[in-house]
Amino acid sequence: MATLINEVTIYTDGACSGNPGPGGWGVVLMAGGHTKELSGGDRNTTNNKMELTAVIKGLEALTRPCKVNLYSDSAYVINAFNQHWIDNWQRNGWRNKAREEVANVDLWKKLLVLTSKHDVTFIKVKGHADNEYNNRCDKLAVAAAAEFA
C-alpha cells in the first residue's frame, strides 16, 4: 500500500525581463523524499503575475488536500495572506486602500480557491540569497522567461 503524503513543501518564484515583458515561473515541490520541478512562462506578462502563477501551479500540482509550507521571496504574495490584505480586498469588493481595483484579481481568486483546499502556511524567504530551493526556482523561472524573449 502506498504511503499517504499529507505534508508538502513548495518553493516558488517568478521572473520577468522587463515589466511587462517575457516572464517565467518556477516551482519545486518536495514530499515524502521526492522532488518535482515545474516551470512555464508567458510572452507578455508582469513579475507579479509570474509570482502568483508559480504559487497557483504549485498548488494545482497537488492531487489531494495537504498541509503545505509554501516558500516565496515575493512580499506581494506572502503579505497578501500573512498580513490579511486579501481579506480586506474581498471585503472591499476587490478594491485596495486607494479604492482602485486590485491588480490580478483573476489570479487572486484562483489562488483563494486553491488555498481553501489545503492548509497552507506562507513563508517569506530572501530572494537571490543562500536558499538552494529559492535559487533553483529562480533559475527555472529565468530559463522559462528566456524561451519567450
Side-chain angles (χ1 to χ4, degrees):
M1 185 199 271
T3 304
L4 292 178
I5 300 169
N6 294 322
E7 199 158 323
V8 178
T9 298
I10 301 176
Y11 280 83
T12 68
D13 198 19
C16 207
S17 180
N19 203 16
W25 54 268
V27 177
V28 175
L29 296 107
M30 295 175 281
H34 300 282
T35 301
K36 182 176 184 177
E37 295 182 347
L38 307 168
S39 63
D42 198 340
R43 184 164 309 289
N44 187 29
T45 189
T46 66
N47 189 61
N48 284 341
K49 282 183 182 178
M50 291 295 92
E51 294 284 3
L52 283 165
T53 300
V55 175
I56 289 166
K57 294 296 187 180
L59 292 173
E60 283 179 343
L62 304 177
T63 58
R64 62 180 167 270
C66 297
K67 178 175 180 1
V68 178
N69 289 315
L70 193 141
Y71 295 84
S72 173
D73 61 12
S74 171
Y76 179 60
V77 171
I78 300 299
N79 292 344
F81 287 93
N82 290 351
Q83 295 184 15
H84 307 286
W85 296 353
I86 201 158
D87 299 329
N88 294 333
W89 295 338
Q90 289 178 88
R91 199 171 23 257
N92 296 325
W94 292 99
R95 302 247 169 226
N96 60 25
K97 282 185 181 179
R99 302 261 179 244
E100 298 164 341
E101 185 177 3
V102 171
N104 306 310
V105 171
D106 56 333
L107 297 175
W108 287 115
K109 286 180 177 178
K110 195 172 202 176
L111 189 49
L112 273 176
V113 169
L114 290 165
T115 57
S116 73
K117 296 177 183 178
H118 306 283
D119 176 13
V120 183
T121 301
F122 287 89
I123 304 155
K124 175 84 169 68
V125 295
K126 186 175 181 181
H128 310 284
D130 59 355
N131 185 301
E132 133 183 40
Y133 299 110
N134 179 258
N135 289 339
R136 179 63 186 148
C137 287
D138 179 65
K139 282 185 173 51
L140 290 168
V142 169
E147 292 179 24
F148 293 94

